[in-house]
Amino acid sequence: MKQFPDSPQAPAETTRAWPPISVVMPVLNEERHLREAVDQVLAQSYPGEIEVVLAVGPSQDRTQEVADAIAAADPRVIVVPNPTGRTPNALNAAIGASRNGIVARVDGHAMLPPDYLRVAVETLEETGADNVGGIMAAEGITPFEQAVACAMTSKIGVGAAAFHVGGTPGPADTVYLGVFRRSALDRVGGYDEHFQRAQDWEMNHRIRQSGGLVWFQPRMRVSYRPRPNVKALAKQYFHYGRWRRVVSRTHEGTINLRYLAPPAAVLAMLLGLLVAPFFPWSLIVPGGYVAAIAAGSVLTGGGLPAGALLRLPIVYATMHCSWGWGFLTSPKKLARPPGS
């Protein structure tokens, strides 16, 4: 976890109505989307000052060149290095280089609505929250991406997390991205750089444990592009499950039945297949899962094109089984060393 230097006080005239905001962006291999993402931030309908801090990792494309060109053309943008290339390290580096009392996390390929920052600040002031965030609005172009987008906004695919499926404004365990009070980041020491994944959930947990409030605001809707194929989706959800297990080992009592459902289903299906040669009736378990996924796809995929609907059962199974297997096989050596 990181300690940040004290920020200089912003002039009173800028904080009187609309406080200045620092937007921090972890950037790696974002040559295609970075300029548009930064333009969307700087074009926000926000009356206060905005600065953008790009923490650039060792990319395999022209990301560094694009970031440097953006910063050279606009004094509101600065670039800092992130030699590790890891997301929590990038976020801490960007936060450490930022100046303002409100800090907004934005990804290098995020597509923000024009009023995103205005709504965030209004919500912070109205609720007294330490972090506010909204909906991860998955939107697909190809049939496979459309199927993933459907699954990521369905309770069958991702459970009842409000930042996926929507809901009413209110307290939440975690939110997508996040707009923070800097005082809360300082209080908990920023992102824990041990967590390669699940670092948002883990830090929001520490904010809540320290007495802070995390608030879900559905008006803050950010477009998200899903993974383009089965391999990429499986890798994504495998690591989600693996690192969520690390979080549960670090913070006792943070696992509930929703998180245990995928690993329990994977175990049950494996057991059913293993004993099937001796007890054929055990095939009812994997068979029942396949039937349930097929029925769930019909129920949730009503508005999808035919190509996407045909892929939806594969997407659901990939998400469930990859997350569950990642959780089950998460090695104890990934646990954060005591005292670190």
Side-chain angles (χ1 to χ4, degrees):
M1 289 178 282
K2 198 86 166 182
Q3 294 297 321
F4 305 112
D6 292 336
S7 303
Q9 294 296 315
E13 61 269 19
T14 62
T15 59
R16 183 170 58 243
W18 295 98
I21 296 178
S22 296
V23 175
V24 296
M25 300 177 67
V27 179
L28 182 71
N29 297 322
E30 292 289 0
E31 175 188 353
R32 289 179 55 199
H33 306 290
L34 182 58
R35 187 176 295 276
E36 181 183 4
V38 174
D39 286 346
Q40 286 188 342
V41 171
L42 296 176
Q44 287 282 298
S45 60
Y46 182 71
E49 295 180 9
I50 298 174
E51 73 165 354
V52 179
V53 185
L54 307 176
V56 182
S59 302
Q60 298 176 344
D61 59 11
R62 295 176 56 256
T63 295
Q64 185 71 60
E65 182 179 338
V66 172
D68 290 340
I70 294 171
D74 195 317
R76 294 174 293 176
V77 181
I78 64 173
V79 178
V80 298
N82 174 34
T84 68
R86 293 172 55 177
T87 299
N89 303 66
L91 289 166
N92 282 339
I95 293 167
S98 67
R99 301 179 293 110
N100 298 317
I102 304 295
V103 179
R105 175 192 171 168
V106 175
D107 285 343
H109 52 273
M111 292 169 277
L112 303 180
D115 63 349
Y116 182 83
L117 294 179
R118 179 191 285 266
V119 171
V121 169
E122 290 174 345
T123 305
L124 284 171
E125 293 176 348
E126 290 169 1
T127 64
D130 282 322
N131 180 24
V132 299
I135 294 178
M136 183 183 188
E139 299 175 1
I141 296 176
T142 68
F144 185 84
E145 290 174 351
Q146 291 170 344
V148 176
C150 177
M152 291 185 70
T153 55
S154 163
K155 292 182 179 181
I156 296 175
V158 292
F163 73 89
H164 279 302
V165 302
T168 58
D173 289 345
T174 191
V175 291
Y176 183 50
L177 299 179
V179 179
F180 302 84
R181 297 183 190 274
R182 188 186 183 96
S183 58
L185 297 174
D186 290 339
R187 187 174 73 242
V188 301
Y191 290 87
D192 189 330
E193 294 177 359
H194 174 76
F195 291 91
Q196 296 180 33
R197 301 285 194 280
Q199 64 270 158
D200 296 291
W201 198 102
E202 193 276 337
M203 188 175 72
N204 280 313
H205 174 75
R206 286 186 284 116
I207 288 175
R208 292 186 290 107
Q209 289 295 103
S210 69
L213 176 64
V214 177
W215 191 270
F216 171 68
Q217 171 55 272
R219 292 169 58 200
M220 297 170 64
R221 185 179 180 90
V222 182
S223 296
Y224 169 85
R225 186 73 68 226
R227 296 299 193 269
N229 53 57
V230 170
K231 181 179 179 181
L233 183 67
K235 181 179 179 181
Q236 178 187 22
Y237 274 79
F238 174 83
H239 285 292
Y240 281 172
R242 166 170 282 200
W243 283 93
R244 189 62 186 84
R245 180 77 177 273
V246 180
V247 172
S248 71
R249 290 186 176 123
T250 305
H251 302 290
E252 293 184 5
T254 59
I255 285 291
N256 57 35
L257 292 177
R258 175 166 66 90
Y259 292 111
L260 293 176
V266 170
L267 281 178
M269 286 189 288
L270 286 175
L271 182 61
L273 292 172
L274 285 173
V275 304
F278 311 101
F279 304 101
W281 55 264
S282 68
L283 289 174
I284 195 173
V285 177
Y289 174 80
V290 172
I293 289 300
S297 298
V298 172
L299 290 173
T300 60
L304 291 176
L309 181 59
L310 289 172
R311 291 167 173 81
L312 188 54
I314 298 172
V315 166
Y316 277 136
T318 300
M319 292 167 63
H320 295 163
C321 295
S322 298
W323 201 101
W325 187 245
F327 188 93
L328 290 170
T329 61
S330 180
K332 290 185 178 180
K333 66 181 181 181
L334 289 180
R336 182 158 54 83
S340 65

